[in-house]
Amino acid sequence: MPPRIRCLTARGLGSAVNTLRIPSRSAALLVSSTSTASSTPRHYATAVAAKSGLTLPVDYVPPTKPPTARPSDVRKSQLLRTYTSLLRSTPLMLIFQHNNLTAIEWAAVRRELRVALANVPLRGTEPIDFSSNISLQVIRTRIFDVALKVVEFFDPLKVRPTMARTITGSRAPVTYNHDLSKSAYEAVKEATKGDSAQLASTPYGQLAPLLVGPIAILTFPTVSPAHLAAAMSILAPSPPAFPAPSRKKNPNYYEPVAQSGLQKLLLIGGRIEGKVFDLDGVKWVGGIEHGLEGLHAQLVGMLQSAGLGLTTTLEGASKSLWLTMESRRSVMEEAEKGPEPAPEAAAEVEKKES
Amino acid sequence: MITHFITNVSTRFNPFSAGAKSARLFLTSLPPSARANGMSIVTELLPRTSTAASTLHIKFKDGKQLNLDCENLGIKSIVEEVDRHSRALQKQADIDG
């Protein structure tokens, strides 16, 4: 039986990247040794592979799996990528502390949230129903912390290309700027090694004290104050702005499992469009009427009225002069009937003009 | 942590301050069935700009009250303090049968 060639599967590639390198020469020797044995009539898959010359050097770096600073095939690396993607694509995120909710309680809480969000009226000319994309998910706090640092302090556009070996053995410039790359790791290290006061002023620094203990986040694909208000009235009700649903309209909200689950959730803050808000800030965003379009309309109206005020003030002086002249003219026209008061009126007008 | 003998937990903290860590971790160490077994847990969140210290107030079944300052005590020390009294109550309960 011909000796088995070590075929590099996906798992094997990971170990090839991370473990000590066997020089490519020994891989070439392996090829030569097996080619002599491949003259046997039996054709196994391994022998066929040897015959066709399909051997990869052990230090081959596949283009779909670039080199990483940490092992990339472990769950926490993939969670890190998930969280960085989430942070870059989610404009509205509420942060909750969850204290030992059971699975049944989570199911009840998510059910109530889904029902409330489905009842939010949609806005706009072509409304898109994104309430199914709003999710309350438990996250790994430490990995989320690292993901926040990567999103904040790593700029993929600033990474310089490195020379990497291609399949043919030549070297080509390649830019490794993914979130698990060495450049990302070094950028984060550089940014966090400085003084803590400077770090505390960054959005990461403001959010960092919140990331303690078990955390769950409620993510919205877009900043919609109406949906936020509905979610707040379920998860963190605070009358009068966000009243909990009434017992008659929503009796399931008041069942013991749902209530005990909701009591264990604590809204501690929010990240809206990259900025950090506390509970009062989140309430303010939820209280914006008519959504973001309403806010834009308010701003436009305010700007227009401000311009109008300025114009009125500037024109006021000339307007009053014109009015005075007009009144004098009407008086003079009346006085033409009688010639005597006319010269007096002319004298008065001259006095006013001077 | 022995939580069987605690009847009331009342805490207030500013989540944006570093001193809130112990108070928040204490809340997470309470069992899921705490409220079902009669424990009352009250949390008050202070605004972001508040500089008030985070406090933890615990009442036990025998009436003893503990006021713990969470700014200086870590979670381990807090749990130690609470457990000390709870263990005494546990011993008493074992003797009484």
Side-chain angles (χ1 to χ4, degrees), chain A residues 97-100 102 206 209-215 263-264 266-269 276-280, chain B residues 13 15-18 20-21 23-25 27-33 35 43 45-49:
Chain A
Q97 176 176 329
H98 65 97
N99 300 318
N100 298 318
T102 62
Q206 291 167 23
L210 288 182
L211 299 176
V212 158
I215 294 283
Q263 280 162 5
K264 294 177 187 172
L266 188 65
L267 176 60
I268 51 174
V276 179
F277 287 75
D278 66 342
L279 186 60
D280 294 329
Chain B
F13 52 84
F16 285 86
S17 76
K21 183 171 176 179
R24 286 178 60 190
L25 290 178
L27 287 175
T28 66
S29 62
L30 300 170
S33 53
R35 283 194 171 95
T43 312
L45 287 178
L46 300 170
R48 190 172 172 180
T49 49

Side-chain angles (χ1 to χ4, degrees), chain A residues 245-266:
Chain A
S246 71
R247 214 175 264 269
K248 276 189 189 166
K249 281 189 187 166
N250 200 343
N252 286 335
Y253 182 79
Y254 291 96
E255 67 156 3
V257 173
Q259 277 299 301
S260 77
L262 289 164
Q263 280 162 5
K264 294 177 187 172
L265 280 174
L266 188 65

Side-chain angles (χ1 to χ4, degrees), chain B residues 19-91:
Chain B
K21 183 171 176 179
S22 315
R24 286 178 60 190
L25 290 178
F26 186 83
L27 287 175
T28 66
S29 62
L30 300 170
S33 53
R35 283 194 171 95
N37 292 340
M39 197 194 295
S40 130
I41 304 165
V42 172
T43 312
E44 191 194 326
L45 287 178
L46 300 170
R48 190 172 172 180
T49 49
S50 155
T51 50
S54 50
T55 57
L56 180 61
H57 181 74
I58 302 168
K59 278 190 201 155
F60 289 87
K61 274 187 179 156
D62 64 343
K64 161 135 188 187
Q65 300 191 21
L66 270 183
N67 258 317
L68 296 163
D69 170 34
C70 305
E71 297 271 328
N72 303 316
L73 287 175
I75 182 65
K76 269 193 175 171
S77 317
I78 291 173
V79 167
E80 205 184 293
E81 287 288 322
V82 172
D83 267 354
R84 192 178 298 151
H85 192 72
S86 295
R87 261 181 271 120
L89 290 176
Q90 180 84 60
K91 274 199 197 131

